[in-house]
Coordinates of all heavy atoms in Angstrom, one line a residue:
T31 N 83.0 118.0 74.8 CA 83.1 119.3 75.6 C 82.6 120.4 74.8 O 81.9 121.3 75.3 CB 84.6 119.5 76.0 OG1 85.1 118.4 76.7 CG2 84.8 120.8 76.8
A32 N 83.0 120.5 73.5 CA 82.5 121.6 72.6 C 81.0 121.6 72.5 O 80.4 122.7 72.5 CB 83.2 121.4 71.2
F33 N 80.4 120.4 72.4 CA 79.0 120.3 72.3 C 78.3 120.9 73.6 O 77.3 121.6 73.5 CB 78.5 118.9 72.0 CG 77.0 118.7 72.0 CD1 76.3 119.1 70.9 CD2 76.4 118.1 73.1 CE1 74.9 118.9 71.0 CE2 75.0 117.9 73.2 CZ 74.3 118.3 72.0
M34 N 78.9 120.5 74.7 CA 78.3 120.9 76.0 C 78.4 122.4 76.2 O 77.5 123.1 76.6 CB 79.0 120.2 77.2 CG 78.7 118.7 77.2 SD 79.7 117.9 78.5 CE 78.9 118.5 79.9
L35 N 79.5 123.0 75.7 CA 79.7 124.4 75.8 C 78.7 125.1 74.9 O 78.1 126.2 75.3 CB 81.2 124.8 75.5 CG 82.2 124.5 76.5 CD1 83.6 124.7 75.9 CD2 82.1 125.3 77.7
F36 N 78.5 124.6 73.7 CA 77.6 125.2 72.8 C 76.2 125.2 73.3 O 75.4 126.2 73.3 CB 77.6 124.5 71.4 CG 76.6 125.0 70.4 CD1 76.8 126.1 69.7 CD2 75.4 124.3 70.3 CE1 75.9 126.6 68.8 CE2 74.5 124.8 69.4 CZ 74.7 125.9 68.6
S37 N 75.8 124.1 73.9 CA 74.5 123.9 74.5 C 74.2 124.9 75.6 O 73.2 125.5 75.8 CB 74.2 122.5 75.0 OG 74.4 121.6 73.9
C38 N 75.2 125.0 76.5 CA 75.1 125.9 77.6 C 75.0 127.4 77.2 O 74.3 128.2 77.8 CB 76.3 125.7 78.6 SG 76.1 124.2 79.6
N39 N 75.8 127.7 76.2 CA 75.8 129.1 75.8 C 74.5 129.5 75.1 O 74.2 130.7 75.1 CB 77.0 129.3 74.7 CG 78.3 129.3 75.4 OD1 78.4 129.6 76.6 ND2 79.3 129.0 74.6
N40 N 73.8 128.5 74.7 CA 72.5 128.8 74.0 C 71.3 128.4 74.9 O 70.2 128.4 74.5 CB 72.4 128.0 72.7 CG 73.3 128.6 71.6 OD1 73.0 129.6 71.0 ND2 74.5 128.0 71.5
S41 N 71.6 128.1 76.2 CA 70.5 127.8 77.1 C 70.0 129.0 77.9 O 70.8 129.9 78.2 CB 71.1 126.7 78.1 OG 70.1 126.5 79.1
E42 N 68.8 129.0 78.2 CA 68.2 130.1 78.9 C 68.5 130.0 80.4 O 68.4 130.9 81.2 CB 66.7 130.1 78.7 CG 66.3 130.5 77.3 CD 64.8 130.5 77.1 OE1 64.1 130.3 78.1 OE2 64.3 130.8 76.0
K43 N 68.8 128.8 80.9 CA 69.1 128.5 82.3 C 70.6 128.3 82.5 O 71.0 127.1 82.5 CB 68.3 127.3 82.8 CG 66.8 127.6 82.8 CD 66.0 126.4 83.3 CE 64.5 126.6 83.3 NZ 63.8 125.5 83.8
K44 N 71.4 129.3 82.5 CA 72.8 129.2 82.6 C 73.2 128.5 83.9 O 74.2 127.8 83.9 CB 73.5 130.6 82.6 CG 73.2 131.4 81.4 CD 73.9 130.9 80.2 CE 73.7 131.8 79.0 NZ 74.3 131.3 77.8
Q45 N 72.4 128.6 85.0 CA 72.8 128.0 86.2 C 72.7 126.5 86.2 O 73.3 125.8 87.0 CB 71.9 128.5 87.4 CG 70.4 128.1 87.3 CD 69.6 129.1 86.4 OE1 70.2 129.9 85.6 NE2 68.3 129.0 86.5
D46 N 72.0 125.9 85.2 CA 71.9 124.5 85.1 C 73.1 123.9 84.3 O 73.2 122.7 84.3 CB 70.6 124.1 84.3 CG 69.4 124.5 85.1 OD1 69.5 124.6 86.3 OD2 68.3 124.7 84.4
C47 N 73.9 124.7 83.8 CA 75.1 124.2 83.0 C 76.2 123.7 84.0 O 76.5 124.3 85.0 CB 75.7 125.3 82.1 SG 74.6 125.8 80.8
P48 N 76.7 122.5 83.7 CA 77.8 122.0 84.5 C 79.1 122.8 84.3 O 79.3 123.4 83.3 CB 78.0 120.6 84.0 CG 77.6 120.6 82.6 CD 76.4 121.6 82.6
Q49 N 79.9 122.9 85.4 CA 81.2 123.6 85.2 C 82.2 122.7 84.5 O 82.4 121.6 84.8 CB 81.8 123.9 86.6 CG 83.1 124.7 86.6 CD 83.7 124.9 87.9 OE1 83.2 124.4 88.9 NE2 84.7 125.7 88.0
I50 N 82.7 123.2 83.4 CA 83.6 122.5 82.6 C 85.0 123.0 82.7 O 85.3 124.2 82.4 CB 83.2 122.5 81.1 CG1 81.8 121.9 80.9 CG2 84.2 121.8 80.2 CD1 81.2 122.0 79.6
L51 N 85.9 122.2 83.2 CA 87.3 122.6 83.4 C 88.1 122.5 82.1 O 87.8 121.6 81.3 CB 87.9 121.8 84.5 CG 87.2 121.9 85.9 CD1 87.9 120.9 86.9 CD2 87.3 123.3 86.4
P52 N 89.1 123.4 81.9 CA 89.9 123.2 80.7 C 90.7 121.9 80.7 O 91.1 121.4 81.7 CB 90.9 124.4 80.9 CG 90.9 124.8 82.3 CD 89.5 124.4 82.8
I53 N 90.9 121.4 79.5 CA 91.6 120.1 79.4 C 93.1 120.5 79.2 O 93.5 121.2 78.3 CB 91.1 119.4 78.1 CG1 89.6 119.0 78.3 CG2 91.9 118.1 77.9 CD1 89.0 118.5 77.1
P54 N 94.0 119.9 80.1 CA 95.4 120.3 80.0 C 96.0 119.7 78.8 O 95.7 118.6 78.3 CB 96.0 119.6 81.3 CG 95.0 118.5 81.6 CD 93.7 119.0 81.2
T55 N 96.9 120.4 78.2 CA 97.7 120.0 77.0 C 99.0 119.4 77.5 O 99.8 120.1 78.2 CB 97.9 121.1 76.0 OG1 96.7 121.7 75.7 CG2 98.7 120.6 74.8
P56 N 99.4 118.2 77.1 CA 100.6 117.6 77.6 C 101.8 118.5 77.1 O 101.8 119.0 76.0 CB 100.7 116.2 76.9 CG 99.2 115.9 76.6 CD 98.6 117.2 76.3
L57 N 102.8 118.6 78.0 CA 104.0 119.4 77.6 C 104.9 118.6 76.6 O 104.9 117.3 76.7 CB 104.9 119.7 78.9 CG 104.2 120.5 80.0 CD1 105.2 120.7 81.1 CD2 103.7 121.8 79.4
R58 N 105.5 119.3 75.7 CA 106.4 118.6 74.8 C 107.8 118.7 75.4 O 108.7 119.4 74.8 CB 106.3 119.3 73.4 CG 105.0 119.1 72.7 CD 105.0 117.8 72.0 NE 103.6 117.5 71.4 CZ 103.3 116.4 70.7 NH1 104.3 115.5 70.5 NH2 102.2 116.3 70.1
E59 N 108.0 118.1 76.5 CA 109.3 118.2 77.2 C 110.3 117.4 76.4 O 110.1 116.3 76.1 CB 109.2 117.7 78.6 CG 110.5 117.9 79.4 CD 110.4 117.4 80.8 OE1 110.4 116.1 80.9 OE2 110.3 118.1 81.7
R60 N 111.5 118.0 76.2 CA 112.6 117.3 75.5 C 113.4 116.5 76.4 O 113.5 116.8 77.6 CB 113.5 118.3 74.8 CG 112.9 119.2 73.7 CD 113.9 120.2 73.1 NE 114.4 121.1 74.1 CZ 115.6 121.0 74.7 NH1 116.4 120.0 74.4 NH2 116.0 121.9 75.6
V61 N 114.0 115.4 75.9 CA 114.9 114.6 76.7 C 116.2 115.4 76.8 O 116.5 116.3 75.9 CB 115.2 113.2 76.1 CG1 113.9 112.4 76.1 CG2 115.7 113.3 74.7
L62 N 117.0 115.2 77.8 CA 118.2 115.9 78.0 C 119.2 115.7 76.9 O 119.4 114.6 76.4 CB 118.8 115.5 79.4 CG 119.6 116.6 80.1 CD1 118.7 117.7 80.5 CD2 120.3 115.9 81.4
T63 N 119.9 116.7 76.5 CA 121.0 116.6 75.5 C 122.3 116.5 76.1 O 122.5 116.7 77.3 CB 121.0 117.8 74.5 OG1 121.4 119.0 75.3 CG2 119.7 118.1 73.9
A64 N 123.3 116.1 75.4 CA 124.7 115.9 75.9 C 125.2 117.3 76.4 O 125.9 117.3 77.5 CB 125.6 115.4 74.8
E65 N 124.9 118.3 75.7 CA 125.4 119.7 76.1 C 124.7 120.1 77.4 O 125.4 120.7 78.3 CB 125.1 120.7 75.0 CG 125.9 120.5 73.7 CD 125.4 119.3 72.9 OE1 124.2 118.9 73.1 OE2 126.2 118.8 72.0
E66 N 123.4 119.8 77.5 CA 122.7 120.2 78.8 C 123.2 119.4 80.0 O 123.3 119.9 81.1 CB 121.2 120.0 78.6 CG 120.6 121.0 77.6 CD 119.2 120.6 77.2 OE1 118.8 119.4 77.2 OE2 118.4 121.5 76.8
Q67 N 123.5 118.1 79.7 CA 124.0 117.2 80.8 C 125.4 117.7 81.2 O 125.7 117.8 82.4 CB 124.1 115.8 80.3 CG 124.6 114.8 81.4 CD 125.2 113.5 80.8 OE1 126.0 113.6 79.9 NE2 124.7 112.4 81.3
A68 N 126.2 118.1 80.3 CA 127.6 118.6 80.6 C 127.6 119.8 81.4 O 128.5 120.1 82.2 CB 128.4 118.8 79.3
A69 N 126.5 120.7 81.2 CA 126.4 121.9 81.9 C 126.0 121.8 83.3 O 126.1 122.7 84.1 CB 125.5 122.9 81.1
L70 N 125.4 120.6 83.7 CA 124.9 120.4 85.0 C 126.0 120.2 86.1 O 127.1 119.7 85.7 CB 124.0 119.1 85.1 CG 122.7 119.2 84.3 CD1 122.0 117.8 84.3 CD2 121.7 120.2 85.1
T71 N 125.7 120.6 87.3 CA 126.6 120.4 88.4 C 125.9 119.4 89.3 O 124.7 119.3 89.3 CB 127.0 121.6 89.2 OG1 125.8 122.2 89.8 CG2 127.6 122.7 88.2

Side-chain angles (χ1 to χ4, degrees):
T31 302
F33 175 76
M34 293 174 69
L35 287 171
F36 175 81
S37 299
C38 282
N39 288 335
N40 289 277
S41 171
E42 295 180 359
K43 297 181 179 180
K44 301 290 186 183
Q45 67 274 16
D46 295 336
C47 292
Q49 182 183 8
I50 299 175
L51 300 176
I53 299 171
T55 302
L57 299 180
R58 293 278 176 177
E59 186 182 70
R60 295 180 298 104
V61 296
L62 211 64
T63 66
E65 293 75 19
E66 289 168 337
Q67 183 200 50
L70 289 171
T71 64

